Amino acid sequence: YSTVGWSDAFVVKLNATGTALGYATYLGGSDTDIGYGIAVDGEGSTYVAGYTGYTDPGMADYEPFPTTPGAFDEDHNGAVGDTDAFIVKLNPSGSSLVYGTFYGGADRDEAYALAVDASGCAYVTGMTQSADLPVTAGAFATTHGGDDDAFVFKLAADGSTLEYAAFLGSSDSDWGYGIAVD
Protein backbone atom coordinates (compact mmCIF):
# COMPACT_ATOMS: atom_id res chain seq x y z
CA TYR A 1 0.00 0.00 0.00
CA SER A 2 1.05 3.59 -0.49
CA THR A 3 3.05 5.73 1.85
CA VAL A 4 3.33 8.91 -0.21
CA GLY A 5 0.80 11.03 1.65
CA TRP A 6 1.09 13.52 4.48
CA SER A 7 0.34 10.66 6.84
CA ASP A 8 -0.87 7.11 6.36
CA ALA A 9 -2.87 4.76 8.53
CA PHE A 10 -1.03 1.60 9.53
CA VAL A 11 -1.90 -1.86 10.82
CA VAL A 12 0.40 -4.00 12.94
CA LYS A 13 -0.34 -7.57 13.98
CA LEU A 14 1.68 -9.20 16.76
CA ASN A 15 1.74 -12.88 17.64
CA ALA A 16 -0.41 -14.11 20.55
CA THR A 17 2.35 -13.53 23.13
CA GLY A 18 3.33 -10.11 21.76
CA THR A 19 6.90 -11.24 21.13
CA ALA A 20 7.01 -11.25 17.32
CA LEU A 21 5.60 -9.30 14.42
CA GLY A 22 2.94 -11.06 12.35
CA TYR A 23 2.75 -8.25 9.78
CA ALA A 24 2.82 -4.48 9.40
CA THR A 25 1.38 -2.46 6.53
CA TYR A 26 0.42 1.07 5.55
CA LEU A 27 -2.99 2.16 4.28
CA GLY A 28 -3.05 5.38 2.33
CA GLY A 29 -2.88 7.54 -0.73
CA SER A 30 -1.52 11.00 -1.51
CA ASP A 31 -3.29 12.86 1.29
CA THR A 32 -3.78 12.44 5.03
CA ASP A 33 -5.10 8.99 5.96
CA ILE A 34 -6.08 8.37 9.58
CA GLY A 35 -7.16 5.01 11.02
CA TYR A 36 -9.41 5.17 14.10
CA GLY A 37 -11.29 1.89 14.45
CA ILE A 38 -10.00 -1.66 14.19
CA ALA A 39 -11.57 -5.10 14.61
CA VAL A 40 -10.66 -8.69 13.81
CA ASP A 41 -13.14 -11.38 12.75
CA GLY A 42 -13.14 -15.09 13.58
CA GLU A 43 -11.14 -15.90 10.43
CA GLY A 44 -8.34 -13.48 11.41
CA SER A 45 -9.18 -10.78 8.85
CA THR A 46 -8.57 -7.22 10.05
CA TYR A 47 -11.03 -4.36 9.47
CA VAL A 48 -9.98 -0.71 9.71
CA ALA A 49 -12.17 2.41 9.63
CA GLY A 50 -10.97 5.99 9.44
CA TYR A 51 -10.86 8.88 7.05
CA THR A 52 -8.86 10.06 4.08
CA GLY A 53 -8.33 13.46 2.54
CA TYR A 54 -8.62 14.25 -1.13
CA THR A 55 -5.66 15.71 -2.96
CA ASP A 56 -5.99 17.22 -6.42
CA PRO A 57 -5.74 14.31 -8.90
CA GLY A 58 -3.86 16.65 -11.26
CA MET A 59 -0.81 16.61 -8.99
CA ALA A 60 2.19 14.79 -10.40
CA ASP A 61 2.54 12.42 -7.42
CA TYR A 62 -1.20 11.81 -6.93
CA GLU A 63 -2.08 8.35 -5.69
CA PRO A 64 -5.66 7.53 -4.64
CA PHE A 65 -6.61 5.80 -1.41
CA PRO A 66 -6.81 2.05 -2.18
CA THR A 67 -10.30 0.80 -2.98
CA THR A 68 -11.28 -2.44 -4.67
CA PRO A 69 -13.45 -3.24 -7.70
CA GLY A 70 -17.03 -4.01 -6.68
CA ALA A 71 -16.74 -2.18 -3.35
CA PHE A 72 -19.68 -0.07 -2.19
CA ASP A 73 -17.99 3.21 -3.21
CA GLU A 74 -14.74 3.23 -5.18
CA ASP A 75 -14.53 7.03 -5.59
CA HIS A 76 -13.90 9.86 -3.14
CA ASN A 77 -17.06 11.96 -2.86
CA GLY A 78 -15.94 15.33 -1.48
CA ALA A 79 -14.11 18.24 -3.03
CA VAL A 80 -10.36 18.77 -2.79
CA GLY A 81 -9.61 19.30 0.90
CA ASP A 82 -12.65 17.36 2.20
CA THR A 83 -12.46 13.95 3.86
CA ASP A 84 -14.34 10.72 3.23
CA ALA A 85 -14.67 7.83 5.64
CA PHE A 86 -12.97 4.61 4.57
CA ILE A 87 -13.43 0.99 5.53
CA VAL A 88 -10.96 -1.71 4.55
CA LYS A 89 -10.77 -5.42 5.20
CA LEU A 90 -7.33 -7.07 5.07
CA ASN A 91 -6.85 -10.80 4.58
CA PRO A 92 -5.54 -12.74 7.64
CA SER A 93 -1.91 -12.45 6.53
CA GLY A 94 -2.21 -8.69 5.90
CA SER A 95 -0.88 -9.15 2.38
CA SER A 96 -3.91 -7.87 0.42
CA LEU A 97 -7.19 -6.02 0.62
CA VAL A 98 -10.32 -8.14 0.63
CA TYR A 99 -12.15 -4.86 0.08
CA GLY A 100 -11.57 -1.15 0.42
CA THR A 101 -14.41 1.37 0.16
CA PHE A 102 -15.25 5.00 0.79
CA TYR A 103 -18.35 6.25 2.60
CA GLY A 104 -19.20 9.90 2.25
CA GLY A 105 -20.98 12.81 0.67
CA ALA A 106 -19.95 16.22 -0.62
CA ASP A 107 -18.51 17.50 2.68
CA ARG A 108 -16.41 16.18 5.58
CA ASP A 109 -17.06 12.55 6.60
CA GLU A 110 -14.98 10.60 9.14
CA ALA A 111 -15.32 7.08 10.60
CA TYR A 112 -14.18 6.63 14.21
CA ALA A 113 -15.24 3.15 15.27
CA LEU A 114 -16.32 -0.19 13.89
CA ALA A 115 -17.41 -3.61 15.05
CA VAL A 116 -17.77 -6.87 13.11
CA ASP A 117 -20.44 -9.54 13.54
CA ALA A 118 -20.06 -13.32 13.16
CA SER A 119 -21.09 -13.06 9.48
CA GLY A 120 -18.31 -10.58 8.67
CA CYS A 121 -20.56 -7.52 8.33
CA ALA A 122 -18.95 -4.27 9.49
CA TYR A 123 -20.87 -1.76 11.63
CA VAL A 124 -19.39 1.74 11.46
CA THR A 125 -20.01 5.07 13.19
CA GLY A 126 -18.47 8.50 12.90
CA MET A 127 -19.22 12.10 11.97
CA THR A 128 -20.55 13.77 8.84
CA GLN A 129 -21.15 17.30 7.61
CA SER A 130 -22.67 15.96 4.36
CA ALA A 131 -26.40 16.40 3.81
CA ASP A 132 -26.08 13.96 0.87
CA LEU A 133 -24.49 11.13 2.87
CA PRO A 134 -25.73 7.75 1.55
CA VAL A 135 -28.58 6.49 3.75
CA THR A 136 -31.07 3.70 3.19
CA ALA A 137 -34.81 3.99 2.76
CA GLY A 138 -36.69 3.35 5.98
CA ALA A 139 -33.63 4.07 8.15
CA PHE A 140 -34.04 5.69 11.58
CA ALA A 141 -33.12 9.16 10.23
CA THR A 142 -32.64 9.88 6.54
CA THR A 143 -32.02 13.63 6.71
CA HIS A 144 -29.09 15.61 8.06
CA GLY A 145 -29.99 17.23 11.39
CA GLY A 146 -27.52 20.06 11.61
CA ASP A 147 -23.89 21.09 11.87
CA ASP A 148 -22.20 17.72 12.45
CA ASP A 149 -24.25 14.53 12.63
CA ALA A 150 -23.21 11.11 13.78
CA PHE A 151 -23.92 8.27 11.38
CA VAL A 152 -24.22 4.51 11.66
CA PHE A 153 -24.20 1.95 8.88
CA LYS A 154 -23.90 -1.77 8.32
CA LEU A 155 -21.74 -2.87 5.40
CA ALA A 156 -22.33 -6.26 3.77
CA ALA A 157 -19.69 -8.92 4.45
CA ASP A 158 -18.22 -8.55 0.95
CA GLY A 159 -18.05 -4.74 1.24
CA SER A 160 -20.32 -4.22 -1.77
CA THR A 161 -23.54 -2.77 -0.30
CA LEU A 162 -24.99 -0.91 2.62
CA GLU A 163 -27.46 -3.08 4.51
CA TYR A 164 -28.61 0.03 6.36
CA ALA A 165 -27.33 3.55 6.94
CA ALA A 166 -28.75 6.42 8.99
CA PHE A 167 -27.96 9.83 10.42
CA LEU A 168 -27.96 10.20 14.20
CA GLY A 169 -28.08 13.81 15.28
CA SER A 170 -29.70 17.02 16.34
CA SER A 171 -29.19 20.61 15.21
CA ASP A 172 -25.91 20.73 17.20
CA SER A 173 -22.72 18.69 16.80
CA ASP A 174 -23.12 14.93 17.22
CA TRP A 175 -20.25 12.49 16.70
CA GLY A 176 -20.20 8.68 17.00
CA TYR A 177 -17.08 7.38 18.78
CA GLY A 178 -18.06 3.84 19.73
CA ILE A 179 -20.12 0.97 18.39
CA ALA A 180 -20.77 -2.64 19.43
CA VAL A 181 -22.72 -5.60 18.09
CA ASP A 182 -24.59 -8.00 20.39
Side-chain angles (χ1 to χ4, degrees):
Y1 310 106
S2 171
T3 178
V4 298
W6 291 98
S7 64
D8 282 338
F10 65 92
V11 180
V12 175
K13 178 181 179 180
L14 299 175
N15 69 1
T17 61
T19 58
L21 182 66
Y23 68 79
T25 189
Y26 291 103
L27 295 171
S30 297
D31 207 315
T32 300
D33 308 296
I34 307 292
Y36 272 101
I38 191 165
V40 178
D41 68 17
E43 304 296 316
S45 295
T46 303
Y47 300 72
V48 180
Y51 67 89
T52 182
Y54 186 57
T55 302
D56 184 354
M59 294 175 55
D61 62 352
Y62 173 74
E63 186 171 336
F65 186 88
T67 59
T68 53
F72 167 68
D73 188 351
E74 298 175 43
D75 298 310
H76 196 283
N77 300 285
V80 171
D82 282 326
T83 57
D84 260 9
F86 71 76
I87 301 85
V88 299
K89 177 181 178 181
L90 293 162
N91 69 357
S93 67
S95 61
S96 68
L97 289 179
V98 176
Y99 66 76
T101 187
F102 291 112
Y103 180 71
D107 293 309
R108 186 173 154 211
D109 311 294
E110 300 176 356
Y112 296 129
L114 84 156
V116 178
D117 68 17
S119 300
C121 294
Y123 299 75
V124 183
T125 190
M127 180 281 303
T128 183
Q129 293 176 342
S130 298
D132 63 340
L133 190 73
V135 294
T136 54
F140 171 73
T142 58
T143 58
H144 192 257
D147 185 27
D148 302 336
D149 272 1
F151 61 78
V152 62
F153 68 87
K154 178 181 178 183
L155 187 64
D158 65 0
S160 66
T161 57
L162 291 179
E163 297 202 4
Y164 66 77
F167 290 103
L168 297 172
S170 65
S171 60
D172 287 326
S173 291
D174 307 289
W175 295 29
Y177 283 117
I179 194 165
V181 177
D182 67 9

